[in-house]
């Protein structure tokens, strides 16, 4: 893109910055225990009578980011994005659930979302209250702001590891 827009040096600096940020987080988490993360892109509370959220698969750029942070996306093999049944969610049994949204939820909506997940109490993330949200317009269309997603995941994983260390 840098060559097509006659901004080669800026593109190279941006690429170096992204790679540097990724390496920083890799070093930060490489000695931590691996965490199984479910990335959800549709609120479970949208349809309280049906548990079938859209989740991020292992072939997404999100999964690549998490892998560098010693976290793995729990999903069906070979999927990008797909709708998961309640049974599939139970089988995946993530330790952490992260809801990715373009804008923050108000308190009432967040409360409904947490209540919706309580319908699946056997999932480790639900049992251990490890449900988080990552919001911002960059979350769904990252582009050059992908480092913000990296930082958001890092902040969440820090909380997760602190929670596990305190148990």
């Amino acid at each position: 893109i840098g060559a097509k827009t006659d901004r080669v040096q800026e593109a190279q600096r941006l690429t170096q910055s992204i790679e540097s940020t990724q390496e920083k987080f890799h070093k930060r988490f490489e000695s931590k225990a691996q965490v199984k993360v479910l990335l959800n892109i549709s609120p479970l509370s949208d349809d309280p009578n049906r548990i079938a959220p859209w989740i991020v698969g292992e072939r997404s750029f999100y999964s690549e980011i998490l892998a560098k942070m010693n976290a793995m996306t729990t999903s069906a093999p070979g999927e990008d994005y797909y709708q998961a049944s309640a049974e599939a969610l139970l089988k995946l049994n993530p330790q952490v659930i992260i809801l990715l949204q373009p804008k923050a939820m108000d308190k009432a909506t967040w409360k409904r979302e947490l209540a919706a997940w309580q319908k699946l109490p056997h999932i480790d993330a639900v049992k251990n209250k490890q449900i988080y949200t990552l919001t911002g317009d960059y979350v769904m269309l990252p582009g050059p702001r992908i480092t913000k997603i990296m930082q958001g995941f890092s902040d969440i994983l820090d909380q997760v590891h602190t929670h596990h260390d305190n148990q």
Side-chain angles (χ1 to χ4, degrees):
I1 293 174
K4 296 242 184 231
T5 60
D6 199 28
R7 301 204 183 255
V8 174
Q9 289 181 338
E10 286 174 297
Q12 288 172 339
R13 279 194 299 274
L14 180 60
T15 300
Q16 289 170 347
S17 172
I18 291 169
E19 290 171 351
S20 172
T21 300
Q22 194 171 33
E23 184 59 27
K24 174 181 83 171
F25 289 127
H26 172 71
K27 286 181 180 178
R28 184 170 171 182
F29 291 102
E30 68 184 343
S31 64
K32 301 279 187 181
Q34 188 175 55
V35 178
K36 290 176 19 181
V37 178
L38 178 87
L39 296 175
N40 180 10
I41 57 172
S42 65
L44 198 60
S45 59
D46 278 353
D47 186 352
N49 299 317
R50 183 171 170 227
I51 297 176
W54 282 90
I55 64 174
V56 175
E58 69 178 10
R59 293 179 21 195
S60 73
F61 72 93
Y62 296 109
S63 295
E64 290 179 37
I65 293 170
L66 284 171
K68 291 286 187 177
M69 295 181 182
N70 203 23
M72 66 178 272
T73 306
T74 57
S75 65
E79 294 288 344
D80 291 329
Y81 300 87
Y82 67 101
Q83 204 165 12
S85 66
E87 293 80 12
L89 294 171
L90 289 167
K91 186 176 178 181
L92 293 171
N93 194 23
Q95 295 168 289
V96 178
I97 297 169
I98 302 174
L99 178 60
L100 304 173
Q101 291 289 287
K103 61 182 183 175
M105 293 181 188
D106 60 42
K107 283 185 178 187
T109 304
W110 180 239
K111 192 174 180 178
R112 278 194 310 275
E113 184 64 16
L114 292 175
W117 280 103
Q118 296 309 310
K119 293 177 182 178
L120 298 168
H122 300 295
I123 292 177
D124 286 346
V126 176
K127 228 184 316 192
N128 297 314
K129 298 181 174 145
Q130 294 296 291
I131 302 174
Y132 301 89
T133 185
L134 181 58
T135 59
D137 59 348
Y138 60 88
V139 171
M140 304 312 272
L141 299 169
R145 299 180 296 169
I146 197 165
T147 55
K148 286 186 169 192
I149 296 172
M150 292 176 194
Q151 183 63 57
F153 284 161
S154 173
D155 292 345
I156 290 169
L157 291 173
D158 278 339
Q159 291 178 56
V160 169
H161 288 295
T162 299
H163 174 82
H164 289 290
D165 292 345
N166 290 333
Q167 284 192 332

